[in-house]
Structure formats: C-alpha cells, structure tokens
C-alpha cells in the first residue's frame, strides 16, 4: 500500500512540475480573463479590480515601478461594431498631447496576432489627458499628466466585435509591464 501511495505521489508531483505548461493559467499564474470569446491568464502580480465603467469588460492594476506615483491600469473592451481599428487608434492618440518640447505625440504601430485575429499594437507616449467623469459626460474635466505611456492593442473578430486592451500609466511602470502585456494578449486562445 505504501508503495502505491508513493508511486501516486511521485506521478502527481511529476505532472505538476512538467516543463511544458498545459494551460494559460499555469503560464502566467494570475486571473484568467475572457476577451472576445477567448481566455488568457494575466501575470500573477496584476490584480483584478472592479471596472470603473460599465464599458470596461475587465480591469486590472499592474504594480507601479520604483519612483512612479501610481500603478498602471490594464483594461479590456469589446463592442459589437466598435468603430473599427483606425477610428480606435485615432481615439487613443487623441487622449495624449506631445511631451514638453515636442511637436507631435510619440506613436509607434506594429502588427501582431491575437487568437488568430490580425491586430495592431500602438505605443503612445507624452502628456496624458486624464478625464474625470465618463467619456460621454458633458462636464468631464481633463487634467494633463506628463510622463505617461500607453500600449494599446485593437482587432476585429470575424463576428464583427471590435476588441481592444490597454496598458496605461506612468512611463517607467508601463515599460516594466510591456513585455508581459504583449505576451498576455498574444496568449489569448
């Protein structure tokens, strides 16, 4: 009986320590987020928080880097229709102003795949126009916050959903979490 128990224990331990993860949650270790009919586990140090708006499908906090004033936010959106990729990229660019001494907002775009969908990854940096109040609030106030960065991913599904996600916050914090964010969105299946 002891031999059987030992064999079962070793088999279970071997399965748990497999070099190849079998699920997204084992790879990242954090909350499993659903997005546009797919799932991916967020990095373990990102904490799921209550979305600050009903327009947000999911929201997480990525811990601040040393010296930064606050955490970065990670937000997931999905809308039927949703305005398309180009309109969403322009909208994200519009919430930033050029950094001091520059004439244009810093922007870089690259292509990637999210769960079989062609996507665009946009990096934007500069002075973020932080809005208090909802996006459709006529009394919303915008406060310029220098030294912000955003990494934004947007794609359209075959069923017509526009899906997007951002990592947004102080520049050092966003840079710290950017590799994990990119790996996370590419891992949605």
């Amino acid at each position: 009986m002891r031999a059987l128990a030992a064999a079962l224990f070793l088999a279970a331990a071997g399965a748990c320590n497999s070099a190849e993860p079998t699920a997204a949650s084992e790879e990242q270790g954090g909350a499993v987020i659903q997005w546009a009919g797919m799932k991916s586990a967020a990095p373990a140090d990102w904490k799921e928080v209550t979305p600050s708006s009903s327009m947000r499908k999911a929201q997480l906090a990525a811990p601040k880097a040393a010296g930064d004033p606050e955490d970065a936010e990670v937000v997931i959106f999905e809308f039927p229709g949703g305005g398309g990729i180009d309109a969403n990229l322009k909208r994200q660019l519009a919430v930033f102003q050029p950094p001091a001494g520059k004439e244009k907002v810093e922007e870089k775009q690259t292509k990637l795949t999210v769960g079989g969908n062609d996507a665009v990854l946009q990096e934007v940096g500069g002075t973020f126009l932080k809005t208090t109040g909802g996006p459709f609030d006529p009394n919303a106030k915008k406060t310029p916050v220098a030294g912000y960065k955003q990494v934004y991913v947007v794609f359209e599904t075959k069923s017509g959903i526009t899906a997007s996600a951002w990592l947004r916050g102080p520049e050092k914090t966003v840079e710290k979490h950017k590799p994990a964010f990119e790996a996370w969105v590419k891992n949605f299946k």
Side-chain angles (χ1 to χ4, degrees):
M1 187 65 150
R2 285 186 185 162
L4 177 60
L8 289 173
F9 173 77
L10 289 173
C16 291
N17 291 323
S18 172
E20 297 225 0
T22 57
S25 61
E26 291 178 32
E27 290 177 24
Q28 298 277 348
V32 176
I33 304 298
Q34 294 188 7
W35 185 31
M38 302 175 287
K39 293 180 186 178
S40 181
D45 63 338
W46 294 2
K47 301 300 172 219
E48 198 168 9
V49 297
T50 302
S52 61
S53 162
S54 61
M55 295 176 68
R56 295 175 175 205
K57 180 159 178 64
Q59 185 170 331
L60 301 104
K64 64 184 175 182
D68 272 351
E70 60 191 15
D71 294 342
E73 69 175 7
V74 179
V75 181
I76 295 282
F77 298 91
E78 63 181 64
F79 298 105
I85 291 174
D86 289 337
N88 278 279
L89 292 169
K90 287 177 186 170
R91 196 169 18 257
Q92 296 309 309
L93 199 56
V95 298
F96 279 83
Q97 292 178 332
K102 303 272 182 164
E103 292 190 25
K104 288 178 32 176
V105 172
E106 300 165 6
E107 181 199 23
K108 180 177 140 187
Q109 290 184 16
T110 55
K111 298 196 181 299
L112 66 138
T113 302
V114 178
N117 300 288
D118 292 333
V120 176
L121 182 138
Q122 176 192 54
E123 293 181 56
V124 182
T127 299
F128 174 58
L129 300 173
K130 196 173 214 173
T131 303
T132 52
F136 304 110
D137 180 354
N139 300 315
K141 294 186 177 158
K142 294 185 179 187
T143 305
V145 183
Y148 249 57
K149 185 165 185 169
Q150 175 177 285
V151 180
Y152 178 74
V153 174
V154 62
F155 61 92
E156 292 176 309
T157 67
K158 291 172 183 59
S159 62
I161 294 196
T162 300
S164 60
W166 72 50
L167 165 66
R168 178 193 290 163
E171 189 172 350
K172 282 191 332 188
T173 298
V174 170
E175 283 298 324
K176 172 185 168 186
H177 293 285
K178 180 182 159 194
F181 177 79
E182 289 184 32
W184 177 59
V185 297
K186 288 177 183 177
N187 195 42
F188 272 90
K189 307 269 187 270

